[in-house]
């Protein structure tokens, strides 16, 4: 028989004739160490199938028509083996995460109906083909960044995206919580961050050159209990949530709430509001001791909300560090004095000092700093303010930052704008809504390669993995986020999970064939993806100006 249409593609599949049929008698048994996976799997399958799937007391209770979950110490932590045969279905993993990813594969094998929240045909037969799947991920970090600062995504939307990530075997949610246009995390010692900083009076509609505005307030934030819930929900799905608190740029929302954080000798910070348009903002943090203590207070609460033991990458805290214009620092007598006091060469070195301060502060608390690739700038032996040991880099401007970081011994997450920024348009046609950036088709994302060929084998070990980034300046609601993210996230998930050939040798035709089934899964999940034929009428945004870039993206 033809191999099942699984996404991401597993390492090895051996399909034979026959099937396991789940019935009202079928039982689910979770051996020691897999109880959490058993609870999750039983819940989603009972909801979708209407079958009782009673708890088996022993693995033998699942014989013939049941499901068993078991650890196998011979497998890696995220590896799994799924065997469906005359004995029933057995999923083994090297750790609970491996069993969970195997359970996701089982859900795919059951068909699109297994993704629904209630049975739509109680008379249908639920079957699993006889198959052996042996699988495990290529990369440890398989990430998605959601920008909830530019357009707020309510808590239920974040929980939904965690489920969508889990369905695609992605395991890191990078949550972009603060920016010029909004502060989304409750900090109890600084209540004005959300009282003032989480709301803007109006919003630019389209690219920043657009003449259109949405003339109504936009905002929202997550309470600390909301974030605890998000972290716990993610951990149940073996996903790490990495929070991002931007410093020293992208900070106007914080300055609007607490004007003393800005460069008060060159700008009237008390007159600033939360920014209502897009682009790179010149209002950046002042490098004062007060600013350092303020953000240390912020990070103290962040560390409590995102505990280091919640999931594999929970030690990481993202500090942004990107797109920090130095104009105000150059104009400020106070900042020039600070540069002299610290013995620094210039404003670039000042930013490196700023980043290094928080790198050391986090390291002293058992955490690891990660930031955008600008955090590599302005440091070096001459300043003494290079990256702190253990700091990692999100390489977004291309591959170059990641290459430099890996060669310097720092871990890297590859997320080059030219390849995996999902806010970039999916087609060059006139109906593409608010077209931003380069055309990045489903096939383009499928051919993305996270490890640059110029890295040696030892240097390449520093590539933790890859991440797709979803910036929401022109994504005003869940439907727009879905449209930009899917189906390309499915292609990205395969790149991050599967051991694929070189980009030019990848079988995109086979991926498209498997996607014909996967679209039905996305339909069952209620995902408003971009259809292969182009946007549906309600997905278009005629007349809203974007910023398309023509030609192929540079490989930088």
């Amino acid at each position: 028989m033809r191999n099942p249409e699984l996404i991401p593609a597993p390492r090895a599949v051996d399909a034979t004739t026959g099937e396991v049929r789940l019935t009202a008698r079928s039982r689910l048994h979770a051996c020691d160490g897999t109880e959490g996976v058993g609870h999750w799997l039983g819940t989603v399958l009972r909801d979708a199938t209407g079958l009782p799937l009673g708890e088996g007391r022993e693995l033998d209770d699942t014989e013939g028509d049941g499901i068993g979950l078991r650890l196998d110490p011979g497998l890696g932590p995220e590896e799994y083996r799924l065997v469906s045969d005359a004995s029933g279905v057995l999923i083994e993993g090297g750790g609970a995460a491996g069993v969970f990813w195997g359970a996701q594969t089982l859900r795919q094998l059951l068909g699109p109906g297994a993704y629904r929240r209630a049975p739509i045909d109680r008379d249908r037969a639920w079957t699993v083909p006889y198959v052996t799947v042996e699988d495990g991920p290529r990369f440890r970090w398989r990430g998605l960044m959601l920008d909830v600062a530019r357009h707020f995504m309510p808590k239920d939307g974040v929980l939904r995206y965690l489920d969508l990530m889990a369905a695609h075997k992605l395991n890191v949610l990078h949550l972009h919580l603060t920016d010029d246009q909004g502060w989304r995390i409750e900090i109890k010692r600084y209540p004005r961050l959300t009282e003032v900083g989480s709301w803007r009076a109006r919003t630019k509609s389209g690219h920043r050159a657009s003449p259109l505005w949405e003339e109504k307030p936009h905002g929202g934030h997550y309470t600390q209990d909301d974030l605890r819930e998000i972290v716990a929900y993610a951990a149940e799905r073996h996903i790490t949530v990495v929070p991002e608190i931007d410093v020293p740029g992208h900070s106007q929302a914080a300055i609007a709430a607490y004007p003393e954080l800005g460069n008060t000798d060159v700008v009237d910070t008390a007159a600033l509001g939360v920014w209502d348009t897009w682009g790179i903002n010149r209002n950046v943090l002042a490098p004062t001791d007060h600013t350092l203590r303020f953000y240390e207070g912020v990070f103290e609460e962040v560390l409590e909300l995102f505990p280091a033991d919640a999931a594999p990458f929970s030690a990481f805290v993202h500090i942004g560090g990107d797109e920090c214009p130095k104009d105000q620092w150059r104009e400020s007598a106070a900042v020039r004095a600070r540069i002299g006091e610290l013995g620094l060469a210039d404003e670039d070195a000042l930013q490196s000092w700023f980043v290094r301060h928080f790198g050391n502060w986090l390291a002293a608390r058992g955490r690891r700093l990660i930031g955008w690739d600008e955090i590599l700038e302005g440091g070096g032996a001459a300043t003494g303010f290079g990256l702190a040991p253990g700091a990692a880099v999100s390489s977004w401007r291309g591959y170059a930052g990641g290459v430099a970081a890996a060669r310097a011994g720092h871990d890297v997450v590859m997320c080059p704008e030219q390849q995996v920024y999902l806010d970039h348009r999916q087609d060059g046609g006139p109906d593409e809504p608010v077209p931003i950036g380069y055309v990045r088709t489903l096939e383009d994302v499928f051919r993305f390669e996270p490890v640059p060929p110029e890295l040696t084998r030892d240097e390449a070990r520093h590539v933790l993995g890859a991440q797709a980034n979803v910036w929401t300046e022109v994504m005003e609601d869940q439907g727009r986020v879905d449209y930009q993210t899917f189906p390309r996230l499915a292609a990205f998930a395969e790149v991050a999970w599967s051991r694929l050939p070189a980009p030019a040798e990848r079988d995109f035709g086979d991926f498209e064939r498997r996607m014909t089934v996967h679209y039905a899964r996305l339909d069952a999940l209620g995902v408003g993806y971009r259809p292969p034929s182009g946007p549906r009428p309600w997905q278009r945004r005629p007349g809203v100006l974007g910023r398309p870039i023509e030609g192929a993206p540079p490989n930088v």
Side-chain angles (χ1 to χ4, degrees), residues 47 50 163 283 299 312 443 456 494 551:
D47 287 349
D163 281 329
N283 292 302
F299 282 120
E443 181 172 0
T456 67
E494 184 145 322

Side-chain angles (χ1 to χ4, degrees), residues 248-294:
H250 287 290
S251 297
Q252 183 164 320
I255 296 168
Y258 292 92
E260 68 273 16
L261 296 173
N263 296 284
T264 56
D265 60 341
V266 295
V267 65
D268 181 8
T269 56
L272 295 176
V274 177
W275 212 27
D276 56 12
T277 189
W278 319 121
I280 299 176
N281 190 314
R282 70 189 301 268
N283 292 302
V284 303
L285 297 175
T288 63
D289 287 340
H290 173 77
T291 298
L292 297 182
R293 301 294 88 76
F294 183 97

Side-chain angles (χ1 to χ4, degrees), residues 206-526:
H207 181 253
R208 59 181 175 270
S210 168
L212 304 177
W213 295 87
E214 185 179 40
E215 297 286 353
K216 66 178 184 180
H218 174 86
H221 72 275
Y222 308 111
T223 68
Q224 294 200 349
D225 281 346
D226 289 339
L227 290 165
R228 292 186 182 98
E229 180 183 357
I230 287 168
V231 169
Y233 194 85
E236 289 174 350
R237 287 147 184 80
H238 299 275
I239 296 172
T240 302
V241 183
V242 174
E244 180 180 351
I245 307 295
D246 254 311
V247 296
H250 287 290
S251 297
Q252 183 164 320
I255 296 168
Y258 292 92
E260 68 273 16
L261 296 173
N263 296 284
T264 56
D265 60 341
V266 295
V267 65
D268 181 8
T269 56
L272 295 176
V274 177
W275 212 27
D276 56 12
T277 189
W278 319 121
I280 299 176
N281 190 314
R282 70 189 301 268
N283 292 302
V284 303
L285 297 175
T288 63
D289 287 340
H290 173 77
T291 298
L292 297 182
R293 301 294 88 76
F294 183 97
Y295 273 87
E296 286 169 2
V298 169
F299 282 120
E300 283 176 3
E301 296 192 26
V302 168
L303 298 192
E304 190 274 326
L305 295 171
F306 298 87
D309 59 355
F313 291 108
S314 296
F316 283 100
V317 175
H318 207 292
I319 57 90
D322 62 314
E323 296 180 329
C324 179
K326 310 299 191 299
D327 302 355
Q328 290 183 358
W329 287 357
R330 293 187 185 97
E331 297 165 10
S332 167
V335 173
R336 291 198 302 273
R338 183 69 156 166
I339 290 172
E341 171 192 328
L342 295 169
L344 301 177
D346 54 22
E347 293 78 16
D348 289 334
L350 180 65
Q351 180 169 344
S352 182
W353 165 84
F354 205 104
V355 170
R356 176 79 176 204
H357 173 87
F358 286 105
N360 289 335
W361 189 91
L362 289 166
R365 290 153 181 81
R367 299 304 191 97
R368 295 181 66 184
L369 178 147
I370 184 168
W372 303 111
D373 54 56
E374 286 95 330
I375 68 174
L376 291 164
E377 299 172 356
T383 67
F385 293 117
L387 284 187
V393 170
S394 301
S395 188
W396 78 272
R397 290 180 294 180
Y399 290 102
V403 170
R407 287 176 173 168
H410 292 282
D411 288 341
V412 177
V413 176
M414 286 294 185
C415 47
E417 173 187 16
Q418 303 85 355
Q419 312 297 328
V420 287
Y421 267 34
L422 300 186
D423 49 310
H424 283 212
R425 56 195 173 130
Q426 302 183 67
D427 188 84
D431 288 335
E432 210 59 31
V434 200
I436 299 294
Y438 297 101
V439 172
R440 294 285 85 194
T441 65
L442 183 66
E443 181 172 0
D444 290 330
V445 175
F446 179 71
R447 298 194 188 280
F448 164 57
E449 172 50 50
V451 180
E454 60 264 41
L455 291 181
T456 67
R457 179 173 296 182
D458 285 343
E459 291 166 347
R461 291 192 180 100
H462 284 290
V463 179
L464 296 175
Q467 182 170 288
N469 292 343
V470 181
W471 298 102
T472 62
E473 287 95 332
V474 299
M475 299 182 213
E476 71 278 8
D477 56 29
Q478 177 178 287
R480 283 286 289 126
V481 175
D482 278 6
Y483 179 90
Q484 293 297 137
T485 304
F486 289 97
R488 292 182 295 180
L489 192 67
F492 172 81
E494 184 145 322
V495 168
W497 176 275
S498 307
R499 296 185 180 274
L500 300 176
E505 299 169 8
R506 295 175 189 173
D507 188 348
F508 182 65
D510 176 70
F511 179 77
E512 281 190 303
R513 177 187 66 79
R514 288 180 284 122
M515 278 300 299
T516 60
V517 173
H518 199 66
Y519 284 121
R521 298 177 190 132
L522 297 179
D523 286 334
L525 287 163

